[in-house]
Amino acid sequence: MKHFPIFLAVEGRRIVLSGGGDAALAKLRLLMKTEARLTVFATDPAPDIRDWAAAGRLTLIERAMQPGDALCAALFYGADEDPAEDARTAAIAHADGALVNIVDNLHDSQFITPAIVDRDPVVVAIGTEGAAPVLARAIKKDLEDRLPPVLGTLARIGKAFRARVEALPFGAPRRAFWSDYYFAAGPRALNTGGEGALDDTLATLLTDHLNAAPKPGRVEFVGAGPGDPELLTLKARRALHEADVVIHDRLVSAEILELVRREATLIDAGKEGFGKSMAQGDIDALIVEHGTRGAHVVRLKSGDPTVFGRLDEEIEAVEAAGLAWSIVPGITAASAAVAGIGQSLTRRGRNASVRFITGHDTKGFADHDWATLAQPGEVAAIYMGKRSARFFQGRLLMHGADPATPVTVIENASRPDQRVIATTLSELEPTLTRAALTGPALTLFGLAPRAAAKLNVLPDHGGEHEPEKSIQEAFA
Ligand code: SAH
């Protein structure tokens, strides 16, 4: 972000503009919506500007700007549409201490004016840092259509009622009240009784909400997917949008946490393997504590919550506390990883089953049915397999697996920094250690990236799936 959006208090402050033509008119129409004191310097002002001055809406001074003219001004607009004059007036305004904007000159402006959707006191400002004014206009139009004109009236009258709503407990109950007002009771009252009916509506609504039985809390166990926010389900998005409390794992990506409602409490339960983490019992207790207080708790887990997510322990704790709960599935790392190498997890004639296995269990490196896995054509997705790579490499070789069996490690699957390390069982270590992975990684045993696999079988035939750079490197 090169420009930080803020709303500047301009009530009673000076805003100075130099210019009297079309650019000046456009800016003034916008500025006259504010409660600032406007001063315009123009040698040849358009008739509208003269009219506005006569009506007392601005002060018009019919001469070119001079040093000192922008003293005490909060903002200055250079709108002469003449680069030399704009540079001259901007220098004066700058020296006088005002923040400077030159119309249609992003480079020399200290601030920019966004496209505005005005439902005062609700104001939406849209900025594209000058990159795409067309886009800003399209977004503005979309919002203009979507935000009912009565919104401003509802907000203005609602604002005066805010203090009384503090009688309701903070969080969900207050939100429920306002959502009722803005989206149901308020518009209804406006329609039938007009603005005058809103005060009574607010009072009745508050009594109703104060008397309503408190809503019991509930817990949603939500899959955040492998990291790409576009791989969230619509249900997961909705949950993030509605939650009062979000308790998340360390592996949940920052982009996804961005989607959590701003007012929600965000708690990092950081359960990444080997890292600093909260004990499982503490996490269970935290979920229960917030749920019992009536909160809508989202327990956000990377990938799919039902895969290596210690889900059952948490469900048991939530059930014991008598809280309602549900599961929102997500895309598991194995699905994202296999998509990243253009392969499928099962394939007719190759493998009719696939295993999701973990490199670790509570006792350390996890044991599995190595003899079966060592058979040709077997495919396994190994979670938490970085440190245990040498262990399962040894076990599989010992049980007769072909040393040339392809093994592909996908780090940060689905994320912009995804890396693919294609190797074989016999080379897995030291290849993996040398790769010095820092992100979460999934190991696909029995699968090579499609492009690389084709290279082995059909050396002359290029794949449709663009090979990853790192695959090419790995096979160079
Ligand atoms: N519930 C999760 C798995 C949690 S266990 C899921 O369904 O994906 C944590 C392990 O998942 C990590 O050690 C890693 O092996 C794997 N993992 C999670 N996100 C990943 C990603 N974006 N890329 C690669 N592996 C990932």
Side-chain angles (χ1 to χ4, degrees):
M1 238 192 263
K2 292 208 175 74
H3 294 80
F4 181 64
I6 53 165
F7 287 92
L8 189 71
V10 292
E11 189 183 2
R13 297 191 68 187
R14 282 188 91 207
I15 297 182
V16 173
L17 180 142
S18 173
D22 288 343
L25 283 170
K27 277 289 174 289
L28 286 171
R29 282 201 185 91
L30 209 55
L31 290 170
M32 282 188 312
K33 289 170 180 269
T34 71
E35 285 162 38
R37 290 186 294 123
L38 305 179
T39 305
V40 178
F41 292 89
T43 44
D44 181 19
D48 275 354
I49 300 181
R50 284 217 170 85
D51 292 348
W52 291 330
R57 299 182 70 186
L58 50 81
T59 305
L60 174 62
I61 300 175
E62 297 197 34
R63 60 164 170 79
M65 224 177 123
Q66 287 163 14
D69 279 343
L71 276 177
C72 299
L75 302 177
F76 169 76
Y77 282 91
D80 282 285
E81 300 167 78
D82 165 6
E85 180 61 1
D86 282 339
R88 189 188 73 83
T89 60
I92 292 173
H94 190 68
D96 285 351
L99 271 180
V100 170
N101 172 279
I102 302 176
V103 174
D104 286 336
N105 180 349
L106 183 68
H107 183 258
D108 296 320
S109 292
Q110 290 173 299
F111 70 96
I112 49 183
T113 315
I116 289 171
V117 180
D118 178 15
R119 299 285 184 277
D120 187 39
V122 178
V123 177
V124 185
I126 305 150
T128 62
E129 307 214 315
V134 178
L135 195 59
R137 274 196 290 278
I139 296 170
K140 175 175 155 70
K141 165 145 195 333
D142 187 40
L143 289 174
E144 292 282 7
D145 294 345
R146 250 194 288 171
L147 299 179
V150 296
L151 200 69
T153 312
L154 288 176
R156 186 162 41 75
I157 295 181
K159 189 176 175 186
F161 202 74
R162 286 194 79 83
R164 289 184 57 189
V165 181
E166 282 170 21
L168 285 167
F170 179 76
R174 277 189 214 168
R175 254 195 338 274
F177 170 86
W178 286 116
S179 139
D180 233 3
Y181 168 67
Y182 281 112
F183 302 108
R188 223 174 20 238
L190 260 187
N191 261 341
T192 51
E195 205 173 312
L198 283 179
D199 282 329
D200 283 348
T201 306
L202 279 163
T204 319
L205 198 62
L206 183 59
T207 316
D208 290 352
H209 276 254
L210 283 170
N211 294 337
K215 273 211 175 142
R218 66 195 169 97
V219 180
E220 280 185 297
F221 297 97
V222 176
D228 177 355
E230 288 199 78
L231 292 180
L232 277 173
T233 63
L234 294 176
K235 264 199 176 167
R237 275 248 25 196
R238 187 206 26 79
L240 296 183
H241 201 68
E242 292 175 355
D244 299 312
V245 178
V246 175
I247 303 173
H248 68 91
D249 286 350
R250 190 169 312 171
L251 281 184
V252 175
S253 71
E255 287 92 331
I256 286 174
L257 295 177
E258 271 293 307
L259 301 173
V260 173
R261 199 164 58 84
R262 291 278 163 239
E263 300 76 26
T265 310
L266 201 61
I267 302 171
D268 181 355
K271 284 207 318 148
E272 199 183 13
F274 293 94
K276 188 165 63 75
S277 66
M278 219 183 222
Q280 185 59 50
D282 293 342
I283 298 175
D284 299 350
L286 202 62
I287 301 173
V288 167
E289 180 194 322
H290 286 284
T292 345
R293 273 203 221 138
H296 172 187
V297 180
V298 163
R299 173 68 175 112
L300 191 61
K301 289 167 177 289
S302 77
D304 182 278
T306 73
V307 179
F308 302 127
R310 301 227 211 156
L311 180 61
D312 299 72
E313 285 136 278
E314 295 177 9
I315 291 179
E316 278 153 28
V318 165
E319 281 207 316
L323 292 166
W325 58 273
S326 58
I327 300 174
V328 178
I331 292 186
T332 190
S335 300
V338 81
I341 61 167
Q343 287 284 21
S344 62
L345 283 173
T346 61
R347 179 180 176 152
R348 261 199 305 171
R350 182 190 65 204
N351 62 317
S353 69
V354 59
R355 276 153 215 264
F356 288 6
I357 68 179
T358 171
H360 292 274
D361 58 19
T362 44
K363 294 182 222 71
F365 295 151
D367 248 319
H368 297 282
D369 180 358
W370 304 116
T372 307
L373 266 180
Q375 300 299 313
E378 285 294 322
V379 170
I382 305 168
Y383 290 74
M384 295 168 275
K386 278 196 282 188
R387 283 166 207 236
S388 52
R390 196 174 286 288
F391 170 75
F392 60 74
Q393 177 185 36
R395 283 290 191 278
L396 284 162
L397 288 172
M398 200 170 83
H399 284 84
D402 181 351
T405 308
V407 178
T408 309
V409 181
I410 298 96
E411 183 194 30
N412 294 315
S414 89
R415 302 180 185 202
D417 50 357
Q418 171 174 299
R419 260 173 85 194
V420 176
I421 291 122
T423 180
T424 59
L425 183 59
S426 60
E427 297 292 317
L428 177 59
E429 281 299 2
T431 308
L432 199 56
T433 301
R434 273 202 217 114
L437 304 182
T438 52
L442 189 113
T443 303
L444 288 170
F445 170 75
L447 287 178
R450 178 170 299 268
K454 271 192 178 168
L455 281 181
N456 281 351
V457 187
L458 301 164
D460 293 329
H461 194 274
E464 280 171 17
H465 196 92
E466 271 298 309
E468 297 276 339
K469 220 192 199 154
S470 46
I471 302 175
Q472 292 170 324
E473 282 162 10
F475 279 76

